Amino acid sequence: MMVFRGLDGYTDGLCGNFLAKENVMGIKVPDQVMFIKNNQAVQKQSTVLSTGKICVITGATSGVGYQAAAALAAKGATLVLVARNEAKVQAVKQEFEQLYGNPVDYVLADFTDLDQVKAAGAEILQRYPRIDVLINSAGIYTTKKSYNHEGIELVFCVNHMAAFVLTQLLKERLIASAPARIIQINSEGHRFNGLNTNDLNWHKRIYTGLRGYGAAKTAQLLTVWQFATELNGTGVTINAMHPGAVKTNIGENNGRLYRWFLHHVTWKFLQDPKVAGEAIYYLATAPELAETTGKFFNLTIEEKPAKHAYNINKQRIMWEKSLAIGGFQSEIKTQLK
Ligand SMILES: NC(=O)c1ccc[n+]([C@@H]2O[C@H](COP(=O)([O-])OP(=O)(O)OC[C@H]3O[C@@H](n4cnc5c(N)ncnc54)[C@H](OP(=O)(O)O)[C@@H]3O)[C@@H](O)[C@H]2O)c1
């Protein structure tokens, strides 16, 4: 029996136990379902300190991003949080400063509006001459499609485009601060795919939550490989990771029935989000990953993403479309000359 999460991916649940046992009996688990086994594996840890490191984190007011921020602050990092809700980010700032004693700064931006993401990026560049770590964790899952003022579908906008734009904007500062690391919080949900580069905004197809989410996460993975190529030799690494199937607030924006199922069924199968924070800390600091770039991790374990996330043609198209949607057209022209 497999238990589906019904929100942003799937939980391993009973199926994970079954596969783990099969592996013990010597039957090889195929690459495409290794995620079930990896999710249950003993995870790696980093004990390296982060004293004085400047870490920019999105989505730190809740769940995965909050736990990553807590782990970094606990080990001495200075945090720069990018959030949409000032009251929530103020509370996180106060909590962490009191608990850990390091400065926590924040910049406001709603990621459904790419102009706000750009303004936040510009503000960070103005305030911070050095950036050591960028973690893009902000994300949403919606069962119904909706659009921003530019007509961009919101799951695609928040989960992929906002992270892409912020990474583009901070890239040169990270290079100037090298060694530096970028971590895109992706998902095993990319396996649901749904990406059609001719219909990024779902005008021609029926939208479902899983496919919309899978499309956004696939789009992000396709651009991670290209970022890694661009950053090669700069001392800046970029990797994507699945933060586990963890109990957070994702999906709380959906309808009553969905939320009932989330609270009464799905949550029972999910892990404490602290595992996500520890895994992200490992990816952000482990000395053995200093040169590792362009990879996908399930928590701390390197894993092969789904085949469609490697499609070379989609990789090129998605890179160019992301630049264009993000308003980086001049960069395309420069590249094409
Ligand atoms: N939970 C899981 O099992 C799981 C599994 C795989 C991948 N992920 C990924 O993990 C990441 C974090 O999700 P989570 O589970 O931690 O969910 P969460 O608890 O709902 O946290 C999401 C974060 O994103 C922020 N955010 C949402 N919409 C935003 C917007 N329009 N502008 C700016 N910030 C926005 C939220 O801010 P507010 O606090 O203001 O709402 C919050 O800080 C996502 O990328 C998600 O896809 C999660």
Side-chain angles (χ1 to χ4, degrees), residues 175-334:
I175 292 171
S177 317
R181 299 187 192 189
I182 303 167
I183 302 170
Q184 307 293 45
I185 308 306
N186 199 266
S187 174
E188 292 292 354
H190 80 273
R191 296 182 194 278
F192 288 109
N193 198 359
L195 184 72
N196 178 338
T197 52
N198 291 317
D199 187 26
L200 293 176
N201 289 311
W202 296 88
H203 294 304
K204 301 177 190 161
R205 298 167 296 150
I206 293 170
Y207 181 92
T208 66
L210 290 177
R211 297 192 77 221
Y213 187 80
K217 295 298 186 185
T218 299
Q220 180 173 69
L221 284 181
L222 290 164
T223 59
V224 164
W225 321 141
Q226 179 59 30
F227 270 125
T229 304
E230 274 203 8
L231 291 167
N232 191 23
T234 64
V236 181
T237 62
I238 180 165
N239 292 294
M241 69 95 71
H242 167 70
V246 291
K247 189 173 165 184
T248 66
N249 287 319
I250 198 160
E252 289 284 7
N253 50 304
N254 291 301
R256 268 174 55 188
L257 184 63
Y258 181 92
R259 280 184 281 121
W260 184 92
F261 191 81
L262 179 67
H263 300 159
H264 293 91
V265 182
T266 311
W267 274 4
K268 293 195 190 332
F269 294 94
L270 303 184
Q271 284 181 282
D272 186 320
K274 276 198 176 129
V275 301
E278 284 164 15
I280 295 166
Y281 191 79
Y282 171 79
L283 298 181
T285 62
E288 62 268 32
L289 296 183
E291 309 283 324
T292 303
T293 191
K295 302 291 183 196
F296 178 75
F297 288 83
N298 183 339
L299 289 166
T300 61
I301 298 172
E302 194 187 321
E303 187 177 280
K304 273 194 188 162
K307 259 190 191 162
H308 64 255
Y310 283 127
N311 182 302
I312 198 79
N313 195 33
K314 281 192 178 172
Q315 194 176 318
R316 182 184 56 75
I317 295 169
M318 210 51 246
W319 183 256
E320 290 183 357
K321 290 206 171 192
S322 301
L323 284 174
I325 297 165
F328 298 99
Q329 286 96 333
S330 57
E331 198 166 329
I332 295 183
K333 280 183 197 135
T334 315

